């Protein structure tokens, strides 16, 4: 008996065969519609849940989210010369592209501006004619004919200073008692009577202040505080109040009110140079006189050498010896100009007076 080879109906199929055919049908449908292929039955567990693509109605949305994007790679082309750029058409000027502001180049320190009105803020010293005469400020009341020697010294000194371009004069002596402070105050008072000429007299004999004693002043600021920058020129300097002796108000006085034991160290400090230079600029001083200690007594004058343009030496007639003068010159050095030598306590032509020489 021949066997019937016709395809049996679905009802005659076993459950596994029916499931296989169903999977094949879905696989074909998925391939046609772009759905994700369904794993082979052999790779699935019998009790595993169907994949999401088994839900045919949801398949397009799911595939749209997870399907990889195909990238088409074009074959390498033969290099072709780029076409020439067309000539630019005339256009309105383009606005400049804003740029970050450049950092300013470092500049030298600005030059200090003088403060001539500083003179009007200085403290005023009352003038006592009797005290001036008693303390031998002979150029104040001009009763002593020797005052003329200081006027001559004033004129010759200014001429020499202008010729050399100098502004700072140190006044010293070889030893104590020669009259250097007497010379300094008399010369300063004579200079104060010049119109449009500004003079500053500073008491830099910090071991034995002389100006406060001559002028009879107490409780004055300390020169050391000024040089250290603890007080300004406005608080340190003074000027004479209006008076009947015609002492001008363009003479500023730095009267030292306290002894300073470390004077030479203070003078050598670079800050002192800055303070003196600032004071001279602010006052627009034409001439600065420094009343210094005796040159042979200590090293203060040597420490002050860098601050000075020249030196005026006062010698005592009948007291100063030639070897003292030679020693002073040796200590000051050949590079320190000596503006002149003033001889104090000398008898000239049978009358008491004061001589000078260059």
């Amino acid at each position: 008996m021949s066997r019937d080879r016709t395809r049996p109906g679905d009802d005659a199929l076993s459950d596994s065969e029916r499931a296989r055919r169903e999977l094949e049908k879905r696989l074909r449908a998925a391939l046609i519609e772009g759905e994700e292929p369904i794993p082979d039955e052999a790779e699935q567990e019998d009790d595993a849940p169907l994949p999401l693509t088994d839900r045919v109605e949801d398949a397009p949305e799911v595939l749209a989210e997870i399907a990889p994007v195909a990238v088409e790679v074009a074959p390498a082309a033969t290099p072709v010369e780029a076409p020439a750029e067309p000539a630019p058409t005339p256009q309105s000027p383009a606005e400049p592209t804003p740029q970050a502001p450049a950092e300013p180049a470092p500049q030298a320190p600005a030059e200090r501006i003088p403060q001539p009105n500083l003179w009007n803020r200085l403290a005023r010293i009352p003038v006592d004619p009797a005290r001036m005469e008693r303390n031998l400020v002979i150029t104040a009341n001009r009763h002593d004919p020797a005052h003329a020697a200081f006027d001559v010294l004033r004129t010759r000194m200014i001429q020499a200073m202008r010729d050399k371009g100098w502004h700072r004069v140190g006044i010293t002596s070889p030893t104590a008692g020669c009259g250097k402070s007497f010379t300094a105050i008399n010369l300063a008072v004579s200079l104060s009577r010049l119109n449009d000429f500004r003079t500053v007299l500073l008491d830099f004999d910090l071991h034995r202040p002389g100006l406060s004693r001559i002028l009879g002043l107490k409780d004055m600021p300390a020169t050391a505080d000024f040089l250290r920058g603890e007080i300004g020129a406005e608080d340190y300097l003074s000027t004479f109040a209006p008076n009947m002796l015609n002492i001008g108000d363009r003479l500023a006085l730095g009267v030292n009110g306290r002894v300073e034991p470390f004077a030479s160290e203070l003078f050598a400090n670079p800050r002192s140079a800055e303070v003196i230079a600032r004071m001279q600029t602010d006052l627009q001083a034409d001439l600065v006189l420094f009343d210094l200690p005796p040159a042979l007594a200590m090293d203060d004058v040597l420490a002050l050498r860098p601050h000075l343009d020249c030196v005026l030496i006062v010698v005592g007639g009948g007291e100063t010896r030639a070897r003292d003068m030679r020693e002073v010159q040796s200590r000051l050095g050949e590079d320190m100009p000596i503006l002149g030598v003033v001889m104090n306590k000398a008898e000239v032509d049978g009358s008491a007076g004061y001589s000078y020489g260059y």
Side-chain angles (χ1 to χ4, degrees), residues 345-357:
K345 304 178 183 178
E347 294 291 332
V348 181
D349 296 333
S351 62
Y354 304 88
S355 177
Y356 60 91

Side-chain angles (χ1 to χ4, degrees), residues 4-13 17 21:
D4 189 4
R5 296 187 179 272
T6 58
R7 185 177 179 180
D10 288 345
D11 294 338
L13 297 175
E17 182 65 20
R21 290 187 179 183

Side-chain angles (χ1 to χ4, degrees), residues 118-134:
L118 179 60
W119 288 90
N120 300 327
R121 302 200 300 269
L122 300 182
R124 301 299 179 93
I125 300 173
V127 175
D128 184 348
R131 182 181 293 276
M132 291 278 192
E133 188 168 0
R134 186 166 60 250

Side-chain angles (χ1 to χ4, degrees), residues 277-356:
R278 187 186 309 124
M279 177 272 300
Q280 183 176 342
T281 300
D282 289 347
L283 291 175
Q284 292 183 303
D286 299 293
L287 185 60
V288 182
L289 304 176
F290 295 81
D291 183 9
L292 306 179
L296 302 182
M298 52 200 67
D299 64 339
D300 292 8
V301 176
L302 296 181
L304 277 165
R305 285 177 75 256
H307 307 313
L308 307 175
D309 294 323
C310 58
V311 172
L312 184 68
I313 301 177
V314 180
V315 299
E319 297 179 6
T320 302
R321 295 167 294 185
R323 67 166 178 256
D324 294 335
M325 278 298 300
R326 288 194 295 268
E327 180 63 21
V328 170
Q329 291 176 305
S330 176
R331 288 197 184 188
L332 293 177
E334 296 180 357
D335 56 338
M336 172 54 68
I338 296 179
L339 181 65
V341 176
V342 175
M343 181 171 288
N344 185 27
K345 304 178 183 178
E347 294 291 332
V348 181
D349 296 333
S351 62
Y354 304 88
S355 177
Y356 60 91

Side-chain angles (χ1 to χ4, degrees), residues 222-231 258 260-263 266 269 271-272 275:
T223 299
D225 293 344
F226 169 66
L227 292 178
R228 292 190 179 100
E230 297 175 5
I231 58 174
R258 188 184 72 229
E260 172 59 44
F262 301 103
L266 182 59
N269 191 318
R271 183 173 183 82
S272 296
V275 169

Side-chain angles (χ1 to χ4, degrees), residues 15 28 43 48 110 129 151 157 173 212 234 237 265 322 325 341:
D15 292 340
R28 285 193 296 273
E43 299 176 5
D151 291 343
M157 185 176 69
S173 60
S212 59
E234 183 176 347
L237 299 173
E265 292 85 353
M325 278 298 300
V341 176

Side-chain angles (χ1 to χ4, degrees), residues 175-244:
T175 56
C178 294
K180 61 177 184 58
S181 296
F182 158 81
T183 301
I185 187 62
N186 276 283
L187 181 58
V189 170
S190 179
L191 286 163
S192 75
R193 294 192 172 104
L194 296 178
N195 293 329
D196 300 323
F197 194 87
R198 297 181 175 93
T199 304
V200 180
L201 173 59
L202 303 175
D203 190 350
F204 269 38
D205 189 346
L206 304 192
H207 296 279
R208 190 183 177 190
L211 294 183
S212 59
R213 184 176 64 255
I214 293 174
L215 299 175
L217 300 174
K218 297 180 180 179
D219 301 324
M220 299 300 290
T223 299
D225 293 344
F226 169 66
L227 292 178
R228 292 190 179 100
E230 297 175 5
I231 58 174
E234 183 176 347
D235 299 317
Y236 170 59
L237 299 173
S238 307
T239 188
F240 286 115
N243 56 88
M244 301 297 294

